[in-house]
Every structure is written in C-alpha cells, then in structure tokens.
Amino acid sequence: MQERKLKKDILNILKPLFGSTFETKDDLNPDKYTYKVSICSQIQGQPADVGAIQIIEDTKDKTTKVLGKFNQVSIKGGTDWVFLTYNGGDPYHDHCGNSSRKTHVMIVCDPDDIKGSLQILEERRTSSKDEIEDECYYLFELSTNVTCPLVKPKPTKLSSGSVFCILFFTGVSVYLLCGFLYKRIVIGAKGMEQIPNYTFWREFGNLQADGCDYFCRWGSRQESHAYRGIDEHLKEEEERDDQLLNM
C-alpha cells in the first residue's frame, strides 16, 4: 500500500511532463543516432505503449529500435529526483543474451530549465550472449524544474528598530498630511503657513541655531587687522612731536 502511494505521488509530480517527448543526439555519432524519450506517454508515430526509441540513420535506410515501453515501467524517487526504467524494448540480436532492451531515465532538478533538456549518458551492452541481462541498458538524464522541491520561504521577523522606524515615519506622515489638510481646508492657510505648527518649527530651528552658536562659538572673537588705520599713524606722529619738544 505504501509503495503504491509513493508511486502515485511521483506520478503527480511528473504530470506537467505527460505528453512531452524529448529528443537528443548521440555525442559520438550525432548524424547517425537520434533518441526520443517520452514521460509516461506515447511517442508520436509509434505504438501506443512505446516510451523510448532509437532512430538509426544510415546512408541507405532508416530504422527505429524500441528501447522501452512505459506500460512496463518501474518508478523510484527522492526529494529532487525521479528514476524511471522502461522495460520491454526490442530484443538484441547478438548482445546481452538476446534480452529485451531497457531504458533508464534519470529526471533531476534544474530550477532554470523550464521545458526540460535530455541527454544520453551511456549505452551499456555486452558482447557475449552469456552476460547478465541487467548489465545492458540505455541511460538518459532529463533536467527539469518539475522535480525541484517546493521550498516555502521562511517568514522574516522585523527587529525592534525596524518596527520603531515604521511607526515613527507612519506617525510623521499622518501628522503632516492631516495637519496640511486641516490648515488648508478649514483655516484657509496659503503657502508655508499650510505646514502644521509652522511657527513652532520655525522657532525650533532658530533655537537649534542659537544653541549651536552658543556651544560651538563660545568666547570673544578678535579680528586681526592686516593693515593699520590712519588714526594709528597720526597718533605715532604726535608722540614723536612731543619727544622733540621735551628736548
């Protein structure tokens, strides 16, 4: 019962991919091998149960191999990944004990990949007919944001300083707005007189200036003269004349 519920939950995660077919080329032979993989749905132009195919393009002919059927699937999954195995593909001729082909599709989380991108990682097959069947498979990786876990953002807590600033600026805004409307509409004030308690704030500014002048500019100020005035010259000449008379 628990395994069935897990399978159902994984299928619900993959629902956005149902009906989608992904295509990729072989890295070593891109002109010869093309792969198509669907997620629990039919590949267009193929029988209803085919979930993965290989298209071989030779110079003379074009053949298609069934790599697995989605009605013969096993499903595994974790927090941010899903692993599908399609069984029941076309049998090998001279490899892997003439067993049926099978395909592993590893669906991994990629938050930036919305549509999904497919790539083939490995084609594993043995050369002997006596080798173990499980050693032969096709391995694909499908990157998509569908399997990414939904992380709920943690609620942020405001600090006491932030709360104080919000309340302070809210109170100032309400004070200015209500006071402005009252003085303009009720009293009929114009210009700067529309500011609430304009006289108080003007005097308050003057008091601040006086206080700054008192604390920062205390003491008498003496100005140094860069030149001597005419009175000083006359005074020096009189003193010289007095000295001559005494002689």
Side-chain angles (χ1 to χ4, degrees), residues 92-99 126-133:
Y92 291 98
H93 296 294
D94 300 322
H95 305 280
C96 304
N98 300 112
S99 62
T126 60
S127 58
S128 173
K129 294 183 180 181
D130 298 328
E131 293 289 347
I132 302 175
E133 176 185 346

Side-chain angles (χ1 to χ4, degrees), residues 21-38 43 46 50-58 61-67 101 103 118-120 123 138 140:
T21 299
F22 303 93
E23 182 176 323
T24 186
K25 299 282 187 179
D26 189 278
D27 292 336
L28 299 178
N29 297 291
D31 297 331
K32 185 176 181 179
Y33 297 107
T34 302
Y35 300 92
K36 290 185 179 182
V37 176
S38 66
I43 297 177
Q46 298 297 318
V50 174
I53 61 173
Q54 179 191 49
I55 302 173
I56 306 172
E57 299 182 8
D58 291 331
D61 197 7
K62 183 177 182 180
T63 58
T64 299
K65 299 291 185 181
V66 176
L67 305 184
R101 290 174 170 84
T103 296
L118 180 72
Q119 61 176 331
I120 182 168
E123 179 187 355
Y138 294 83
F140 296 90

Side-chain angles (χ1 to χ4, degrees), residues 12-224:
N12 288 332
I13 293 174
L14 296 179
K15 268 187 178 181
L17 300 178
F18 287 2
S20 300
T21 299
F22 303 93
E23 182 176 323
T24 186
K25 299 282 187 179
D26 189 278
D27 292 336
L28 299 178
N29 297 291
D31 297 331
K32 185 176 181 179
Y33 297 107
T34 302
Y35 300 92
K36 290 185 179 182
V37 176
S38 66
I39 305 301
C40 300
S41 57
Q42 177 187 3
I43 297 177
Q44 188 176 5
Q46 298 297 318
D49 55 354
V50 174
I53 61 173
Q54 179 191 49
I55 302 173
I56 306 172
E57 299 182 8
D58 291 331
T59 55
K60 297 181 180 180
D61 197 7
K62 183 177 182 180
T63 58
T64 299
K65 299 291 185 181
V66 176
L67 305 184
K69 300 178 179 180
F70 63 83
N71 62 349
Q72 300 180 38
V73 62
S74 62
I75 302 176
K76 299 177 182 179
T79 55
D80 59 354
W81 60 272
V82 175
F83 195 85
L84 304 178
T85 299
Y86 292 158
N87 298 288
D90 291 340
Y92 291 98
H93 296 294
D94 300 322
H95 305 280
C96 304
N98 300 112
S99 62
S100 298
R101 290 174 170 84
K102 67 178 178 181
T103 296
H104 299 308
V105 183
M106 184 169 55
I107 307 175
V108 296
C109 166
D110 186 351
D112 300 326
D113 200 333
I114 300 175
K115 295 182 179 180
S117 57
L118 180 72
Q119 61 176 331
I120 182 168
L121 300 181
E122 182 182 7
E123 179 187 355
R124 168 71 171 161
R125 64 180 185 177
T126 60
S127 58
S128 173
K129 294 183 180 181
D130 298 328
E131 293 289 347
I132 302 175
E133 176 185 346
D134 290 341
E135 292 185 0
C136 301
Y137 57 81
Y138 294 83
L139 177 61
F140 296 90
E141 182 184 80
L142 177 61
S143 302
T144 175
N145 65 348
V146 170
T147 56
C148 296
L150 297 177
V151 181
K152 296 182 179 180
K154 296 181 179 179
T156 56
K157 295 182 179 180
L158 295 176
S159 62
S160 57
S162 300
V163 173
F164 172 78
C165 291
I166 292 173
L167 294 177
F168 173 77
F169 287 109
T170 301
V172 171
S173 300
V174 172
Y175 162 75
L176 292 174
L177 179 61
C178 295
F180 174 82
L181 293 175
Y182 173 79
K183 298 197 70 175
R184 181 178 180 84
I185 298 174
V186 178
I187 301 179
K190 301 294 183 180
M192 299 295 291
E193 296 295 333
Q194 297 176 94
I195 299 176
N197 304 108
Y198 172 72
T199 304
F200 168 77
W201 293 116
R202 184 177 60 183
E203 294 179 355
F204 182 72
N206 293 334
L207 290 174
Q208 284 185 319
D210 293 341
C212 180
D213 185 71
Y214 176 78
F215 285 103
C216 299
R217 299 177 181 178
W218 58 275
S220 60
R221 291 180 295 173
Q222 295 181 354
E223 297 181 358
S224 59

